[in-house]
Amino acid sequence: MPFQAFVRWLLPRETHFYENLERQATLCNEAATALLLLFPPASLPLVEVKEKISALEHLADVQVLKMEEALAKTFVTPLDREDLRQLSGQLEDVTDLMNLAIRTSHLYGLEAPFREMQALSETLTKATALLCEGVGCLRKHEYGALLEINRQARQHEKAADTIFRQAVSELFANEKIGFKELLKKKEILEGLENAIDACDGAAETLSSIAVKHG
């Protein structure tokens, strides 16, 4: 039996840690998918989408509290304690940033979603789907797959950065757009890009776990 497998055999099977992280990743993806409801063919009202994402963000907060309680009660964890806490916090950040972006859209009275907002939302959905896949690998100890997932997450982060920079450049070049409208759209796009950056950070943590335990 390989040494790492022998060590895992000795450790207690605290599966609730994996279940918690998997639930958090799923909530991230559900929130990102809800964002897409703003755009055709669904084209739901902004307030309705905001309420959906707010509810998902609340459920994500509950999972973070459960993780902290579990860490406080468990002496030996299946992964490093700090890695569990860090990954849980990063997944929470993803959902929080999506919630902030949609709340900003509502607060600023966004009249209609726009093309670049949709492009970033689609990228965010792909990035959160990757996190679901990556977190699922932890329970199965498929650490090799996490390195490839981290690479793909980095590609999504770079794509989002390109979309964001191009969008901001076009906003400032557009002489017909008012200053308030420019700042409104820029802040919304910035919030979505930050959520994608947070996905990349979580994928990096998964990669670090893979190096430690693979």
Coordinates of all heavy atoms in Angstrom, one line a residue, residues 14 16-17 20 61-75 77 81 85 88:
E14 N -13.8 11.5 8.3 CA -14.7 12.7 8.6 C -15.3 13.2 7.3 O -14.9 14.3 6.8 CB -13.8 13.8 9.3 CG -13.2 13.4 10.6 CD -14.2 13.2 11.7 OE1 -15.4 13.5 11.5 OE2 -13.9 12.8 12.8
H16 N -18.0 14.6 6.6 CA -18.8 15.8 6.6 C -18.1 17.0 6.2 O -18.6 18.0 5.7 CB -19.4 16.1 8.0 CG -18.4 16.2 9.1 ND1 -17.9 15.1 9.7 CD2 -17.9 17.3 9.7 CE1 -17.0 15.5 10.6 NE2 -17.0 16.8 10.6
F17 N -16.7 17.0 6.3 CA -15.9 18.1 5.8 C -16.0 18.2 4.3 O -16.2 19.3 3.7 CB -14.5 17.9 6.2 CG -14.2 18.2 7.6 CD1 -13.9 17.2 8.5 CD2 -14.2 19.6 8.1 CE1 -13.7 17.5 9.9 CE2 -14.0 19.8 9.4 CZ -13.7 18.8 10.3
N20 N -19.5 19.4 3.3 CA -19.7 20.8 3.5 C -19.1 21.6 2.3 O -19.7 22.5 1.7 CB -19.0 21.2 4.8 CG -19.2 22.7 5.1 OD1 -18.7 23.5 4.4 ND2 -20.0 22.9 6.1
D61 N -23.5 31.1 3.7 CA -23.0 31.5 5.0 C -23.2 30.5 6.1 O -22.4 30.3 7.0 CB -23.7 32.8 5.4 CG -23.3 34.0 4.6 OD1 -22.2 34.0 4.0 OD2 -24.0 35.0 4.6
V62 N -24.3 29.8 6.0 CA -24.6 28.7 6.9 C -23.6 27.6 6.9 O -23.1 27.1 7.9 CB -26.1 28.1 6.7 CG1 -26.3 26.9 7.5 CG2 -27.1 29.2 7.0
Q63 N -23.2 27.3 5.6 CA -22.2 26.2 5.4 C -20.8 26.6 6.0 O -20.1 25.8 6.6 CB -22.0 25.9 4.0 CG -23.2 25.3 3.3 CD -23.6 24.0 4.0 OE1 -22.7 23.1 4.2 NE2 -24.9 23.8 4.2
V64 N -20.5 27.9 5.9 CA -19.2 28.4 6.5 C -19.3 28.2 8.1 O -18.3 27.8 8.7 CB -19.0 29.9 6.2 CG1 -17.8 30.4 6.9 CG2 -18.7 30.0 4.7
L65 N -20.4 28.5 8.7 CA -20.5 28.4 10.1 C -20.4 26.9 10.5 O -19.8 26.6 11.5 CB -21.9 28.9 10.6 CG -22.0 30.5 10.5 CD1 -23.4 30.9 10.9 CD2 -21.0 31.1 11.4
K66 N -21.0 26.0 9.7 CA -20.9 24.6 10.0 C -19.5 24.1 9.9 O -19.0 23.3 10.7 CB -21.8 23.8 9.0 CG -23.3 23.9 9.2 CD -24.0 23.1 8.2 CE -25.5 23.1 8.5 NZ -26.3 22.3 7.6
M67 N -18.7 24.7 8.9 CA -17.3 24.3 8.8 C -16.5 24.7 10.0 O -15.7 23.9 10.6 CB -16.7 24.9 7.5 CG -15.2 24.7 7.4 SD -14.7 23.0 7.2 CE -15.1 22.7 5.5
E68 N -16.8 25.9 10.5 CA -16.0 26.4 11.7 C -16.4 25.6 12.9 O -15.5 25.3 13.7 CB -16.4 27.9 11.9 CG -15.8 28.8 10.9 CD -14.2 28.8 10.9 OE1 -13.7 28.6 11.9 OE2 -13.7 29.0 9.8
E69 N -17.7 25.2 13.0 CA -18.1 24.4 14.2 C -17.4 23.0 14.1 O -17.0 22.5 15.1 CB -19.6 24.3 14.2 CG -20.3 25.6 14.5 CD -21.8 25.5 14.4 OE1 -22.3 24.4 14.0 OE2 -22.5 26.4 14.7
A70 N -17.4 22.5 12.9 CA -16.8 21.1 12.7 C -15.3 21.2 13.0 O -14.8 20.2 13.7 CB -17.1 20.6 11.3
L71 N -14.6 22.2 12.6 CA -13.2 22.3 12.9 C -12.9 22.5 14.3 O -11.9 21.9 14.9 CB -12.6 23.5 12.1 CG -12.5 23.4 10.6 CD1 -12.1 24.7 9.9 CD2 -11.5 22.3 10.2
A72 N -13.8 23.2 15.0 CA -13.6 23.4 16.5 C -13.8 22.1 17.3 O -13.2 21.9 18.3 CB -14.6 24.4 17.0
K73 N -14.6 21.2 16.7 CA -15.0 20.0 17.4 C -14.1 18.8 17.1 O -14.1 17.7 17.7 CB -16.4 19.6 17.2 CG -17.4 20.6 17.8 CD -18.8 20.2 17.4 CE -19.9 21.2 17.9 NZ -21.2 20.9 17.5
T74 N -13.3 18.9 16.0 CA -12.6 17.8 15.5 C -11.1 17.9 15.7 O -10.5 18.9 15.3 CB -12.8 17.6 13.9 OG1 -14.2 17.6 13.7 CG2 -12.2 16.3 13.4
F75 N -10.5 16.9 16.3 CA -9.0 17.0 16.6 C -8.2 16.6 15.4 O -7.2 17.3 15.0 CB -8.7 16.0 17.7 CG -7.2 16.1 18.1 CD1 -6.7 17.2 18.7 CD2 -6.4 15.0 17.9 CE1 -5.3 17.3 19.1 CE2 -5.1 15.0 18.2 CZ -4.5 16.2 18.8
T77 N -8.3 16.1 11.3 CA -9.1 16.4 10.1 C -8.5 15.6 8.9 O -7.3 15.4 8.9 CB -9.2 17.9 9.8 OG1 -7.8 18.4 9.7 CG2 -9.9 18.6 10.9
R81 N -6.1 21.5 8.6 CA -7.1 22.4 9.1 C -7.2 23.7 8.4 O -8.2 24.2 8.1 CB -6.8 22.5 10.6 CG -7.9 23.3 11.4 CD -7.5 23.3 12.9 NE -7.4 21.9 13.4 CZ -8.4 21.3 13.9 NH1 -9.6 21.8 14.0 NH2 -8.3 20.0 14.3
R85 N -10.2 25.5 6.1 CA -10.7 26.8 6.5 C -10.5 27.8 5.3 O -11.4 28.6 5.0 CB -10.0 27.4 7.7 CG -10.5 28.7 8.2 CD -9.9 29.2 9.5 NE -10.5 28.5 10.6 CZ -9.9 27.6 11.4 NH1 -8.6 27.3 11.2 NH2 -10.5 27.1 12.4
S88 N -12.9 26.9 2.4 CA -14.2 27.3 2.7 C -14.4 28.8 2.6 O -15.5 29.2 2.1 CB -14.5 26.8 4.1 OG -15.8 27.2 4.5

